[in-house]
Amino acid sequence: MSEQQVAAIVDSVRGRLDALETTLEGLHGIRAAAHSPDGRIVARVDGTGALADLRLEEAACRMDARELAASILTTARAAAEAAAMQRVALMDDLRSALR
């Protein structure tokens, strides 16, 4: 194997490592938020889709308990889906970089 071939392999590995590091940083930095259609509820999630923050407007506290619970779940689910879309985009970028 020539020195040029070894250098090309090393450069390729470095590029892939950089892509992996960028992806890991991106995954750690994912945050997403969603608002309920009426604007009374804001759910924020981390990169795993876990609820990190929940804000309720005062008007939300006057909602029927079942309606409030359903709205919270729907809003949190929307935020988790947004985080999942960010994860998918990062992984797609990584797959492209590793080709």
Side-chain angles (χ1 to χ4, degrees), residues 17-31 47 86 90-91 94:
L17 182 58
D18 288 345
L20 181 58
E21 288 174 347
T22 298
T23 300
L24 289 173
E25 287 174 16
L27 289 171
H28 284 84
I30 291 176
R31 301 287 180 271
Q86 291 178 44
L90 284 168
M91 296 310 292
L94 177 61

Side-chain angles (χ1 to χ4, degrees), residues 1-23:
M1 188 174 293
S2 73
E3 191 173 314
Q4 242 179 353
Q5 289 171 319
V6 171
I9 291 170
V10 170
D11 286 344
S12 175
V13 170
R14 281 189 182 132
R16 290 174 179 211
L17 182 58
D18 288 345
L20 181 58
E21 288 174 347
T22 298
T23 300

